[in-house]
Coordinates of all heavy atoms in Angstrom, one line a residue:
M209 N -37.5 -51.9 -45.5 CA -38.2 -53.2 -45.1 C -37.1 -54.3 -45.1 O -36.4 -54.5 -46.1 CB -39.3 -53.5 -46.0 CG -40.1 -54.7 -45.7 SD -41.5 -55.0 -46.6 CE -42.7 -54.2 -45.6
H210 N -37.1 -55.2 -44.1 CA -36.2 -56.3 -44.0 C -36.8 -57.5 -44.7 O -38.0 -57.8 -44.5 CB -35.9 -56.6 -42.5 CG -35.1 -55.5 -41.9 ND1 -33.8 -55.3 -42.1 CD2 -35.5 -54.5 -41.0 CE1 -33.4 -54.3 -41.4 NE2 -34.4 -53.8 -40.7
A211 N -36.0 -58.3 -45.3 CA -36.4 -59.6 -45.9 C -36.7 -60.6 -44.8 O -36.0 -60.6 -43.7 CB -35.4 -60.1 -46.8
T212 N -37.6 -61.4 -44.9 CA -37.9 -62.5 -44.0 C -36.8 -63.5 -44.0 O -36.5 -64.0 -45.1 CB -39.3 -63.1 -44.3 OG1 -40.3 -62.1 -44.3 CG2 -39.6 -64.2 -43.3
P213 N -36.2 -63.9 -42.9 CA -35.2 -64.9 -42.9 C -35.7 -66.2 -43.4 O -36.9 -66.6 -43.2 CB -34.8 -65.0 -41.5 CG -35.3 -63.8 -40.8 CD -36.5 -63.4 -41.6
K214 N -34.9 -67.0 -44.1 CA -35.2 -68.3 -44.7 C -34.4 -69.3 -44.1 O -33.3 -69.1 -43.5 CB -35.1 -68.3 -46.2 CG -36.1 -67.3 -46.8 CD -36.6 -67.8 -48.1 CE -37.6 -66.8 -48.7 NZ -38.4 -67.5 -49.6
I215 N -34.8 -70.6 -44.2 CA -34.1 -71.7 -43.6 C -33.4 -72.5 -44.7 O -33.9 -72.7 -45.8 CB -35.1 -72.7 -42.9 CG1 -35.8 -71.9 -41.8 CG2 -34.5 -74.0 -42.5 CD1 -37.0 -72.7 -41.2
N216 N -32.1 -72.8 -44.4 CA -31.4 -73.8 -45.3 C -31.6 -75.2 -44.7 O -31.4 -75.4 -43.5 CB -29.9 -73.4 -45.3 CG -29.7 -72.1 -46.0 OD1 -30.3 -71.7 -47.0 ND2 -28.7 -71.3 -45.4
L217 N -31.9 -76.1 -45.5 CA -32.3 -77.4 -45.0 C -31.4 -78.5 -45.6 O -31.1 -78.5 -46.8 CB -33.8 -77.7 -45.4 CG -34.4 -79.1 -45.0 CD1 -34.6 -79.1 -43.5 CD2 -35.7 -79.3 -45.8
I218 N -31.0 -79.4 -44.8 CA -30.3 -80.6 -45.2 C -31.2 -81.8 -45.0 O -31.6 -82.0 -43.8 CB -28.9 -80.8 -44.5 CG1 -28.0 -79.6 -44.9 CG2 -28.2 -82.1 -45.0 CD1 -26.7 -79.6 -44.1
D219 N -31.5 -82.6 -46.0 CA -32.4 -83.7 -45.9 C -31.7 -85.0 -46.3 O -31.3 -85.2 -47.4 CB -33.6 -83.5 -46.8 CG -34.7 -84.5 -46.7 OD1 -34.6 -85.3 -45.8 OD2 -35.7 -84.4 -47.5
I220 N -31.5 -85.8 -45.3 CA -30.7 -87.1 -45.5 C -31.8 -88.2 -45.6 O -32.6 -88.4 -44.6 CB -29.7 -87.3 -44.4 CG1 -28.7 -86.2 -44.4 CG2 -29.0 -88.7 -44.6 CD1 -27.7 -86.2 -43.3
G221 N -31.7 -88.9 -46.7 CA -32.8 -90.0 -46.9 C -34.0 -89.3 -47.5 O -35.1 -89.4 -46.9
A222 N -33.8 -88.6 -48.6 CA -34.9 -87.7 -49.1 C -35.8 -88.4 -50.1 O -36.3 -87.7 -51.0 CB -34.2 -86.5 -49.7
V223 N -36.0 -89.7 -50.0 CA -36.8 -90.3 -51.0 C -38.2 -89.7 -51.1 O -38.8 -89.4 -50.1 CB -36.9 -91.9 -50.8 CG1 -37.7 -92.1 -49.5 CG2 -37.5 -92.6 -51.9
G224 N -38.6 -89.4 -52.3 CA -40.0 -88.8 -52.5 C -40.0 -87.3 -52.4 O -41.1 -86.7 -52.4
G225 N -38.9 -86.6 -52.1 CA -38.9 -85.2 -51.9 C -39.2 -84.8 -50.5 O -39.1 -85.6 -49.6
L226 N -39.5 -83.5 -50.4 CA -39.7 -82.9 -49.0 C -41.0 -83.5 -48.3 O -42.0 -83.7 -48.9 CB -39.9 -81.4 -49.1 CG -38.7 -80.6 -49.5 CD1 -39.1 -79.2 -49.7 CD2 -37.6 -80.8 -48.5
G227 N -40.8 -83.9 -47.1 CA -41.9 -84.4 -46.3 C -42.4 -83.3 -45.4 O -42.0 -82.1 -45.5
L228 N -43.3 -83.7 -44.5 CA -43.8 -82.7 -43.5 C -42.8 -82.3 -42.5 O -42.0 -83.2 -42.1 CB -45.0 -83.3 -42.8 CG -46.2 -83.6 -43.7 CD1 -47.3 -84.4 -43.0 CD2 -46.8 -82.4 -44.3
P229 N -42.7 -81.2 -42.0 CA -43.6 -80.0 -42.3 C -43.2 -79.2 -43.5 O -43.9 -78.3 -43.9 CB -43.5 -79.2 -41.0 CG -42.1 -79.4 -40.6 CD -41.7 -80.8 -40.9
W230 N -42.0 -79.5 -44.0 CA -41.5 -78.6 -45.1 C -42.3 -78.6 -46.4 O -42.3 -77.6 -47.1 CB -40.0 -79.1 -45.4 CG -39.2 -79.1 -44.2 CD1 -38.7 -80.2 -43.6 CD2 -38.9 -78.0 -43.3 NE1 -38.0 -79.9 -42.4 CE2 -38.1 -78.5 -42.3 CE3 -39.1 -76.7 -43.4 CZ2 -37.7 -77.8 -41.2 CZ3 -38.7 -75.9 -42.3 CH2 -37.9 -76.4 -41.3
Q231 N -43.0 -79.7 -46.7 CA -43.8 -79.8 -47.9 C -44.8 -78.6 -48.0 O -45.0 -78.0 -49.0 CB -44.5 -81.1 -47.9 CG -45.2 -81.5 -49.2 CD -45.8 -82.9 -49.0 OE1 -46.5 -83.2 -48.1 NE2 -45.5 -83.7 -50.0
G232 N -45.4 -78.3 -46.8 CA -46.3 -77.2 -46.8 C -45.8 -75.8 -46.5 O -46.5 -74.8 -46.4
H233 N -44.5 -75.7 -46.4 CA -43.8 -74.4 -46.0 C -42.6 -74.1 -46.9 O -41.6 -73.6 -46.4 CB -43.5 -74.4 -44.6 CG -44.6 -74.6 -43.7 ND1 -45.5 -73.6 -43.4 CD2 -45.1 -75.6 -43.0 CE1 -46.5 -74.0 -42.6 NE2 -46.2 -75.3 -42.3
Q234 N -42.7 -74.5 -48.2 CA -41.5 -74.3 -49.0 C -41.1 -72.9 -49.2 O -40.0 -72.6 -49.5 CB -41.8 -75.0 -50.4 CG -41.9 -76.5 -50.3 CD -41.9 -77.2 -51.6 OE1 -41.2 -76.9 -52.5 NE2 -42.8 -78.2 -51.7
D235 N -42.1 -72.0 -49.0 CA -41.8 -70.5 -49.1 C -40.8 -70.1 -48.0 O -40.2 -69.0 -48.1 CB -43.1 -69.7 -49.0 CG -43.8 -70.0 -47.7 OD1 -44.0 -71.1 -47.3 OD2 -44.3 -69.0 -47.1
K236 N -40.6 -70.9 -47.0 CA -39.7 -70.5 -45.9 C -38.3 -71.1 -46.1 O -37.4 -70.8 -45.3 CB -40.3 -71.0 -44.6 CG -41.6 -70.3 -44.2 CD -42.2 -70.8 -42.9 CE -43.4 -70.1 -42.5 NZ -44.4 -69.6 -43.5
L237 N -38.1 -71.8 -47.2 CA -36.8 -72.5 -47.4 C -36.0 -71.7 -48.4 O -36.5 -71.1 -49.4 CB -37.0 -73.9 -48.0 CG -37.8 -74.9 -47.1 CD1 -38.0 -76.2 -47.8 CD2 -37.0 -75.1 -45.8
D238 N -34.7 -71.6 -48.2 CA -33.8 -71.0 -49.1 C -33.1 -72.2 -49.9 O -33.6 -72.7 -50.9 CB -32.8 -70.1 -48.4 CG -32.1 -69.1 -49.4 OD1 -32.5 -68.9 -50.5 OD2 -31.0 -68.6 -49.0
W239 N -31.9 -72.6 -49.4 CA -31.2 -73.7 -50.0 C -31.7 -75.0 -49.4 O -31.8 -75.1 -48.2 CB -29.7 -73.5 -49.8 CG -29.1 -72.5 -50.7 CD1 -28.9 -71.2 -50.4 CD2 -28.6 -72.7 -52.0 NE1 -28.3 -70.5 -51.4 CE2 -28.1 -71.4 -52.5 CE3 -28.5 -73.8 -52.9 CZ2 -27.6 -71.3 -53.7 CZ3 -28.0 -73.6 -54.1 CH2 -27.5 -72.3 -54.6
V240 N -31.8 -76.0 -50.3 CA -32.1 -77.4 -49.8 C -31.1 -78.3 -50.4 O -30.9 -78.4 -51.6 CB -33.5 -77.8 -50.3 CG1 -33.8 -79.3 -49.8 CG2 -34.6 -76.9 -49.7
L241 N -30.4 -79.0 -49.5 CA -29.4 -80.0 -49.9 C -29.9 -81.3 -49.5 O -30.1 -81.5 -48.3 CB -28.0 -79.7 -49.3 CG -26.9 -80.7 -49.4 CD1 -26.5 -80.9 -50.9 CD2 -25.7 -80.3 -48.6
S242 N -30.1 -82.3 -50.4 CA -30.6 -83.6 -50.0 C -29.8 -84.7 -50.6 O -29.1 -84.5 -51.5 CB -32.1 -83.7 -50.5 OG -32.2 -83.6 -51.9
F243 N -29.9 -85.8 -49.9 CA -29.1 -87.0 -50.2 C -30.1 -88.2 -50.3 O -30.8 -88.5 -49.4 CB -28.1 -87.3 -49.1 CG -27.1 -86.2 -48.9 CD1 -27.3 -85.2 -48.1 CD2 -25.9 -86.3 -49.7 CE1 -26.4 -84.2 -47.9 CE2 -24.9 -85.3 -49.5 CZ -25.2 -84.2 -48.6
E244 N -30.2 -88.8 -51.5 CA -31.0 -89.9 -51.7 C -30.5 -90.8 -52.8 O -30.4 -90.5 -53.9 CB -32.4 -89.5 -52.1 CG -33.4 -90.6 -52.4 CD -33.4 -91.6 -51.3 OE1 -33.7 -91.3 -50.1 OE2 -33.2 -92.8 -51.6
L245 N -30.0 -92.0 -52.3 CA -29.3 -92.9 -53.2 C -30.3 -93.5 -54.3 O -29.9 -93.9 -55.4 CB -28.7 -94.1 -52.4 CG -27.8 -95.0 -53.2 CD1 -26.6 -94.3 -53.8 CD2 -27.4 -96.2 -52.3
N246 N -31.6 -93.6 -54.0 CA -32.6 -94.2 -54.8 C -33.1 -93.3 -55.9 O -34.0 -93.6 -56.7 CB -33.8 -94.8 -54.0 CG -33.3 -95.9 -53.2 OD1 -32.6 -96.8 -53.6 ND2 -33.8 -96.0 -52.0
E247 N -32.7 -92.0 -56.0 CA -33.1 -91.1 -57.0 C -31.9 -90.4 -57.7 O -30.9 -90.3 -57.1 CB -34.0 -90.0 -56.3 CG -35.3 -90.6 -55.8 CD -36.2 -89.6 -55.1 OE1 -35.9 -88.4 -55.0 OE2 -37.3 -90.1 -54.6
P248 N -32.1 -90.0 -58.9 CA -31.0 -89.4 -59.7 C -30.6 -88.0 -59.1 O -31.4 -87.3 -58.5 CB -31.6 -89.3 -61.1 CG -33.0 -89.2 -60.9 CD -33.3 -90.0 -59.7
P249 N -29.3 -87.7 -59.3 CA -28.9 -86.3 -58.9 C -29.6 -85.2 -59.6 O -30.1 -85.5 -60.8 CB -27.4 -86.3 -59.2 CG -27.2 -87.3 -60.2 CD -28.3 -88.4 -60.0
Q250 N -29.8 -84.1 -59.0 CA -30.6 -83.0 -59.6 C -30.2 -81.7 -59.0 O -29.9 -81.6 -57.8 CB -32.0 -83.3 -59.4 CG -32.9 -82.3 -60.1 CD -34.4 -82.6 -59.9 OE1 -34.8 -83.2 -58.9 NE2 -35.2 -82.3 -60.8
L251 N -30.1 -80.7 -59.9 CA -29.9 -79.3 -59.4 C -31.0 -78.4 -60.1 O -31.1 -78.3 -61.3 CB -28.5 -78.8 -59.9 CG -28.2 -77.3 -59.6 CD1 -28.4 -77.0 -58.1 CD2 -26.9 -76.9 -60.1
T252 N -31.8 -77.9 -59.2 CA -32.9 -77.0 -59.7 C -32.9 -75.8 -58.8 O -33.3 -75.9 -57.7 CB -34.3 -77.8 -59.6 OG1 -34.2 -79.0 -60.3 CG2 -35.4 -76.9 -60.2
G253 N -32.5 -74.7 -59.4 CA -32.5 -73.4 -58.6 C -31.6 -73.6 -57.4 O -30.4 -73.9 -57.5
K254 N -32.2 -73.5 -56.2 CA -31.5 -73.6 -54.9 C -31.7 -75.0 -54.3 O -31.7 -75.2 -53.1 CB -31.9 -72.5 -54.0 CG -31.4 -71.2 -54.4 CD -31.8 -70.1 -53.4 CE -31.1 -68.8 -53.7 NZ -31.3 -67.8 -52.6
R255 N -32.1 -76.0 -55.1 CA -32.3 -77.4 -54.6 C -31.3 -78.3 -55.3 O -31.2 -78.4 -56.5 CB -33.7 -77.9 -55.0 CG -34.8 -76.9 -54.6 CD -35.0 -76.9 -53.1 NE -35.9 -75.8 -52.7 CZ -37.1 -75.9 -52.3 NH1 -37.7 -77.1 -52.4 NH2 -37.8 -74.9 -51.9
L256 N -30.5 -78.9 -54.4 CA -29.4 -79.8 -54.9 C -29.6 -81.2 -54.3 O -29.7 -81.3 -53.0 CB -28.1 -79.3 -54.6 CG -26.8 -80.1 -54.9 CD1 -26.7 -80.4 -56.4 CD2 -25.6 -79.4 -54.4
R257 N -29.7 -82.2 -55.1 CA -29.9 -83.6 -54.6 C -28.7 -84.4 -55.1 O -28.4 -84.5 -56.3 CB -31.2 -84.2 -55.1 CG -31.4 -85.6 -54.5 CD -32.7 -86.2 -54.9 NE -32.8 -86.4 -56.3 CZ -33.9 -86.1 -57.0 NH1 -35.0 -85.7 -56.4 NH2 -34.0 -86.2 -58.3
Y258 N -28.0 -85.1 -54.2 CA -26.9 -86.0 -54.5 C -27.5 -87.4 -54.4 O -28.3 -87.7 -53.6 CB -25.8 -85.9 -53.5 CG -24.9 -84.7 -53.6 CD1 -25.1 -83.6 -52.8 CD2 -23.9 -84.7 -54.6 CE1 -24.2 -82.5 -53.0 CE2 -23.1 -83.6 -54.8 CZ -23.3 -82.5 -54.0 OH -22.5 -81.4 -54.1
D259 N -27.0 -88.3 -55.3 CA -27.4 -89.7 -55.3 C -26.4 -90.5 -54.6 O -25.7 -91.4 -55.1 CB -27.6 -90.2 -56.7 CG -26.4 -90.1 -57.6 OD1 -25.5 -89.3 -57.3 OD2 -26.4 -90.8 -58.6
C260 N -26.3 -90.3 -53.3 CA -25.4 -91.0 -52.5 C -26.0 -91.2 -51.1 O -26.9 -90.5 -50.7 CB -24.0 -90.4 -52.4 SG -24.0 -88.8 -51.6
A261 N -25.4 -92.1 -50.3 CA -25.8 -92.3 -48.9 C -24.8 -91.6 -48.0 O -23.7 -91.3 -48.4 CB -25.8 -93.8 -48.6
V262 N -25.3 -91.2 -46.9 CA -24.5 -90.4 -45.9 C -24.1 -91.3 -44.7 O -25.0 -92.0 -44.2 CB -25.2 -89.2 -45.4 CG1 -24.4 -88.4 -44.4 CG2 -25.5 -88.2 -46.6
W263 N -22.9 -91.4 -44.4 CA -22.4 -92.2 -43.3 C -21.3 -91.5 -42.6 O -20.9 -90.4 -43.0 CB -22.0 -93.6 -43.9 CG -21.9 -94.7 -42.8 CD1 -20.8 -95.3 -42.4 CD2 -23.0 -95.3 -42.1 NE1 -21.1 -96.3 -41.5 CE2 -22.5 -96.3 -41.3 CE3 -24.4 -95.0 -42.1 CZ2 -23.3 -97.0 -40.4 CZ3 -25.1 -95.8 -41.2 CH2 -24.6 -96.8 -40.4
N264 N -20.7 -92.1 -41.6 CA -19.6 -91.5 -40.8 C -18.2 -91.8 -41.3 O -17.2 -91.6 -40.6 CB -19.8 -91.8 -39.3 CG -19.6 -93.3 -39.0 OD1 -19.5 -94.1 -39.9 ND2 -19.4 -93.6 -37.7
F265 N -18.1 -92.4 -42.5 CA -16.7 -92.6 -43.1 C -16.8 -92.6 -44.6 O -17.9 -92.7 -45.2 CB -16.2 -94.0 -42.6 CG -17.0 -95.2 -43.1 CD1 -16.7 -95.7 -44.4 CD2 -18.0 -95.7 -42.4 CE1 -17.5 -96.8 -44.9 CE2 -18.7 -96.8 -42.8 CZ -18.5 -97.3 -44.1
D266 N -15.7 -92.3 -45.2 CA -15.6 -92.3 -46.7 C -15.3 -93.8 -47.1 O -14.6 -94.5 -46.4 CB -14.4 -91.5 -47.2 CG -14.7 -90.0 -47.0 OD1 -15.8 -89.6 -47.0 OD2 -13.7 -89.2 -46.9
G267 N -15.9 -94.2 -48.2 CA -15.6 -95.5 -48.7 C -16.9 -96.1 -49.2 O -17.9 -95.5 -49.4
E268 N -16.8 -97.4 -49.5 CA -18.0 -98.2 -50.0 C -18.6 -99.0 -48.9 O -17.8 -99.5 -48.1 CB -17.5 -99.0 -51.2 CG -17.1 -98.2 -52.4 CD -16.9 -99.0 -53.6 OE1 -17.3 -100.2 -53.7 OE2 -16.2 -98.5 -54.5
A269 N -19.9 -99.2 -49.0 CA -20.6 -100.1 -48.0 C -21.8 -100.7 -48.7 O -22.3 -100.1 -49.7 CB -21.0 -99.3 -46.8
T270 N -22.3 -101.7 -48.1 CA -23.5 -102.3 -48.7 C -24.7 -101.4 -48.3 O -24.9 -101.0 -47.2 CB -23.8 -103.7 -48.0 OG1 -22.6 -104.5 -48.4 CG2 -25.0 -104.4 -48.6
F271 N -25.6 -101.2 -49.4 CA -26.8 -100.4 -49.2 C -28.0 -101.3 -49.3 O -28.2 -101.9 -50.3 CB -26.8 -99.3 -50.2 CG -28.0 -98.3 -50.0 CD1 -27.9 -97.4 -49.0 CD2 -29.1 -98.3 -50.8 CE1 -28.9 -96.5 -48.7 CE2 -30.1 -97.4 -50.6 CZ -30.0 -96.5 -49.6
H272 N -28.7 -101.4 -48.2 CA -29.9 -102.4 -48.2 C -31.1 -101.6 -48.6 O -31.6 -100.7 -47.9 CB -30.0 -102.9 -46.8 CG -28.8 -103.5 -46.2 ND1 -28.4 -104.8 -46.5 CD2 -27.8 -103.0 -45.5 CE1 -27.3 -105.1 -45.9 NE2 -26.9 -104.0 -45.3
V273 N -31.7 -102.1 -49.8 CA -32.9 -101.5 -50.3 C -34.1 -102.2 -49.8 O -34.2 -103.5 -49.9 CB -32.9 -101.4 -51.8 CG1 -34.2 -100.8 -52.4 CG2 -31.7 -100.7 -52.3
S274 N -35.1 -101.5 -49.2 CA -36.3 -102.2 -48.7 C -37.4 -101.1 -48.6 O -37.2 -100.0 -48.8 CB -36.0 -102.7 -47.3 OG -35.7 -101.7 -46.4
G275 N -38.6 -101.6 -48.4 CA -39.8 -100.8 -48.2 C -40.4 -100.4 -49.6 O -39.8 -100.7 -50.6
I276 N -41.5 -99.7 -49.5 CA -42.2 -99.3 -50.7 C -41.4 -98.1 -51.3 O -41.1 -97.1 -50.7 CB -43.6 -98.8 -50.4 CG1 -44.4 -100.0 -49.8 CG2 -44.3 -98.3 -51.6 CD1 -45.7 -99.6 -49.2
H277 N -41.0 -98.3 -52.6 CA -40.2 -97.3 -53.3 C -38.9 -97.0 -52.6 O -38.4 -95.9 -52.7 CB -41.0 -96.0 -53.6 CG -42.3 -96.2 -54.3 ND1 -42.5 -96.7 -55.6 CD2 -43.6 -96.1 -53.8 CE1 -43.7 -96.8 -55.9 NE2 -44.5 -96.4 -54.9
G278 N -38.4 -97.9 -51.9 CA -37.1 -97.7 -51.2 C -37.1 -96.9 -50.0 O -36.1 -96.5 -49.5
T279 N -38.3 -96.6 -49.4 CA -38.4 -95.7 -48.3 C -37.8 -96.3 -47.0 O -37.6 -95.5 -46.1 CB -39.9 -95.4 -48.0 OG1 -40.6 -96.6 -47.8 CG2 -40.5 -94.6 -49.1
G280 N -37.5 -97.6 -46.9 CA -36.9 -98.1 -45.8 C -35.4 -98.5 -46.0 O -34.8 -99.2 -45.2
S281 N -34.8 -97.9 -47.0 CA -33.4 -98.3 -47.4 C -32.5 -97.6 -46.5 O -32.7 -96.5 -45.9 CB -33.2 -97.8 -48.8 OG -34.1 -98.5 -49.7
S282 N -31.3 -98.3 -46.2 CA -30.4 -97.8 -45.3 C -29.0 -98.5 -45.4 O -29.0 -99.6 -46.0 CB -30.9 -98.0 -43.9 OG -29.9 -97.6 -42.9
L283 N -28.0 -97.9 -44.9 CA -26.7 -98.6 -44.8 C -26.8 -99.7 -43.6 O -26.0 -100.6 -43.5 CB -25.6 -97.7 -44.6 CG -25.2 -96.8 -45.8 CD1 -24.3 -95.7 -45.4 CD2 -24.6 -97.7 -46.9
L284 N -27.8 -99.5 -42.7 CA -28.0 -100.5 -41.7 C -28.9 -101.6 -42.2 O -29.9 -101.3 -42.9 CB -28.6 -99.8 -40.5 CG -27.9 -98.7 -39.8 CD1 -28.7 -98.0 -38.7 CD2 -26.6 -99.2 -39.2
K285 N -28.6 -102.8 -41.9 CA -29.4 -103.9 -42.3 C -30.7 -103.9 -41.4 O -30.7 -103.8 -40.2 CB -28.7 -105.2 -42.1 CG -29.4 -106.4 -42.7 CD -28.6 -107.7 -42.6 CE -29.4 -108.8 -43.3 NZ -28.6 -110.0 -43.3
Q286 N -31.8 -104.0 -42.1 CA -33.1 -103.9 -41.5 C -33.3 -105.2 -40.6 O -33.1 -106.3 -41.1 CB -34.2 -103.8 -42.5 CG -35.6 -103.5 -41.9 CD -36.6 -103.3 -42.9 OE1 -36.8 -104.1 -43.8 NE2 -37.3 -102.1 -42.8
N287 N -33.8 -105.0 -39.4 CA -34.2 -106.1 -38.5 C -35.6 -106.5 -38.8 O -36.5 -106.0 -38.1 CB -33.9 -105.7 -37.1 CG -34.1 -106.9 -36.1 OD1 -34.8 -107.8 -36.4 ND2 -33.5 -106.7 -34.9
I288 N -35.9 -107.4 -39.7 CA -37.2 -107.7 -40.1 C -38.0 -108.3 -39.0 O -39.2 -108.0 -38.8 CB -37.2 -108.8 -41.3 CG1 -36.5 -108.1 -42.5 CG2 -38.6 -109.3 -41.7 CD1 -37.2 -107.0 -43.1
D289 N -37.4 -109.2 -38.1 CA -38.1 -109.7 -37.0 C -38.7 -108.6 -36.1 O -39.8 -108.7 -35.6 CB -37.2 -110.7 -36.2 CG -36.9 -112.0 -37.0 OD1 -37.7 -112.3 -37.9 OD2 -35.9 -112.6 -36.8
W290 N -37.8 -107.6 -35.8 CA -38.2 -106.6 -34.9 C -39.4 -105.8 -35.5 O -40.4 -105.4 -34.9 CB -37.1 -105.6 -34.6 CG -37.4 -104.6 -33.6 CD1 -37.3 -104.6 -32.2 CD2 -37.9 -103.3 -33.9 NE1 -37.7 -103.5 -31.7 CE2 -38.1 -102.6 -32.6 CE3 -38.2 -102.6 -35.0 CZ2 -38.6 -101.3 -32.6 CZ3 -38.7 -101.3 -34.9 CH2 -38.9 -100.7 -33.7
V291 N -39.3 -105.5 -36.8 CA -40.3 -104.7 -37.5 C -41.7 -105.5 -37.5 O -42.7 -104.9 -37.2 CB -39.9 -104.4 -39.0 CG1 -41.1 -103.8 -39.8 CG2 -38.7 -103.5 -39.0
R292 N -41.6 -106.8 -37.7 CA -42.9 -107.6 -37.7 C -43.5 -107.6 -36.3 O -44.7 -107.6 -36.1 CB -42.5 -109.0 -38.1 CG -42.4 -109.2 -39.6 CD -42.3 -110.6 -40.0 NE -42.0 -110.7 -41.4 CZ -41.0 -111.4 -42.0 NH1 -40.2 -112.1 -41.2 NH2 -40.8 -111.4 -43.3
Q293 N -42.7 -107.6 -35.3 CA -43.2 -107.7 -33.9 C -43.7 -106.4 -33.4 O -44.6 -106.3 -32.5 CB -42.0 -108.1 -32.9 CG -41.6 -109.6 -33.1 CD -40.3 -109.9 -32.3 OE1 -39.8 -109.1 -31.5 NE2 -39.8 -111.1 -32.5
N294 N -43.2 -105.3 -34.0 CA -43.6 -103.9 -33.5 C -44.5 -103.1 -34.4 O -45.0 -102.1 -34.0 CB -42.3 -103.2 -33.1 CG -41.6 -103.8 -32.0 OD1 -42.0 -103.7 -30.8 ND2 -40.6 -104.6 -32.3
Y295 N -44.7 -103.5 -35.6 CA -45.5 -102.7 -36.5 C -46.5 -103.6 -37.2 O -46.3 -104.4 -37.9 CB -44.7 -102.0 -37.5 CG -43.9 -100.9 -36.9 CD1 -42.6 -101.1 -36.4 CD2 -44.5 -99.7 -36.6 CE1 -41.8 -100.1 -35.8 CE2 -43.8 -98.7 -35.9 CZ -42.5 -98.9 -35.6 OH -41.8 -97.9 -34.9

C-alpha cells in the first residue's frame, strides 16, 4: 500500500496560524515553514516558524505594524486613504 502524498507549505505572513483552506486539512500537510514577525519563533514537530519578515533583499527595513493583532502588518507602508475609500 502506498502512502498518501502530503504537501509542504510555506506561509509568509502567518499571523494567527494556518488559515483557510489549510486549517481544515492539516492531515494533508507534511512540513510547514512559516514567517511571522509578530509572533515568537517556534519548532513543533514538522512546523517551523521564524520571527522575521520576508523581502527580496537581505538587510534591515522598516516594518509597519497595523490592523487587528498585526494582521495588516507589512514592509510596505499601508495606504490608509485607499483602504478607507475601498473597504
Side-chain angles (χ1 to χ4, degrees):
M209 180 174 266
H210 295 281
T212 302
K214 297 212 175 201
I215 297 168
N216 295 320
L217 180 70
I218 298 174
D219 188 4
I220 298 173
V223 67
L226 293 173
L228 297 173
W230 306 114
Q231 192 177 49
H233 299 283
Q234 293 188 41
D235 59 316
K236 296 178 176 37
L237 298 175
D238 195 19
W239 284 93
V240 176
L241 173 62
S242 60
F243 299 89
E244 179 50 56
L245 188 63
N246 292 320
E247 295 180 0
Q250 184 177 29
L251 174 60
T252 306
K254 291 185 172 186
R255 310 288 167 103
L256 175 60
R257 180 176 62 220
Y258 283 101
D259 60 340
C260 65
V262 176
W263 200 245
N264 65 347
F265 65 86
D266 288 335
E268 294 186 19
T270 301
F271 188 72
H272 305 278
V273 178
S274 64
I276 299 169
H277 305 294
T279 57
S281 301
S282 176
L283 288 169
L284 298 172
K285 188 172 182 180
Q286 190 177 52
N287 184 338
I288 298 297
D289 292 334
W290 185 90
V291 172
R292 284 188 186 130
Q293 292 170 5
N294 293 284
Y295 290 97

